Amino acid sequence: MAKIIDGKAVSARVKEKIAMETAELKAKYGVSIGLAVVIVGDNPASRIYVNNKKKACEAVGFESFEYALPTETTQEELLALIDKLNKDDKVNGILVQLPLPKHLDEKLVINNISPDKDVDAFHPVNVGKIMIGDYSFLPCTPAGVMELIASTGVEICGKECVVVGRSNIVGKPMSMLLLHKSGTVTTCHSKTKDLAEQCRRADILVAAVGVPNLIKGNMIKEGAVVIDVGMNRLENGKLCGDVEFETAEKAAGYITPVPGGVGPMTIAMLMQNTLTAAKTKLGIQ
Ligand code: NDP
């Protein structure tokens, strides 16, 4: 039976460390750290994510600045706000909650965030840095997954790592981070032939697909580390991952639950990136 990787506990440890460093920076340099969160429209899921981010800011001692804009906000108005935040000394990190309403160009908005304040690590400059392994910010979800793997004590170097999913925000950077740690990485996607066979080779398996219960216990190597990034809302309102937990936990050595696995880590890593931005600005990174 697999050991459960407790994302809440790991994220609490990460946030505690951030809170301590934040207090030290305040005492030593008299600075406070600020995260600006921009939300456009009234998507209920986005609203929940933004509130969770605000709570996390409070918990670690950051200031949070929320900009809740109406759905009708124009491209020019949003870009003007980004420009203002880029120049604002109190703001160390800028996060634009996605998805944006259809009439707004997400790519253009992200490209206008200063790479030094791009705490989501979505700007092409930061994406490029991840590729060459010279990064200041790590994308939050893959970075959180790396912390969870580290918490098991299992070494990545030389291991067979299989990532299911190749999105720009999770799958691709995930594969890159595992590669930088010298894992032998296979990236699977919707056109992969025999997904089960690929998954069965994995010492470390990361599922970031968005299909409930796609990965079953019989697709998992005995003793593997299984990280489930999936967050799928079922018709009965319950949250479920991409891994069928009941069968997978019988085969895996370590496994993350949904909820309570990767989710809490994503926010903790956002706080980490905001701290990194503040330290870089102070020249102490
Ligand atoms: P995307 O929809 O952008 O990407 C999904 C990927 O899965 C694609 O690469 C797609 O392949 C692949 N895929 C789809 N169906 C299959 C299949 N049957 N077999 C193999 N591969 C398949 O999703 P995201 O990467 O944004 O998110 C993935 C999941 O992670 C979602 O459930 C999301 O909610 C969750 N998530 C959770 C976060 C957290 O904090 N816990 C943060 C971010 C995301 P192809 O490229 O060929 O289309």
Side-chain angles (χ1 to χ4, degrees), residues 141 164-167 169-170 189-190 208-210 229-232 262-263 266:
T141 301
V164 190
R166 58 171 165 179
S167 70
I169 63 163
V170 192
H189 44 79
S190 67
V209 190
V229 179
M231 283 217 289
N232 310 297
V262 176
T266 298

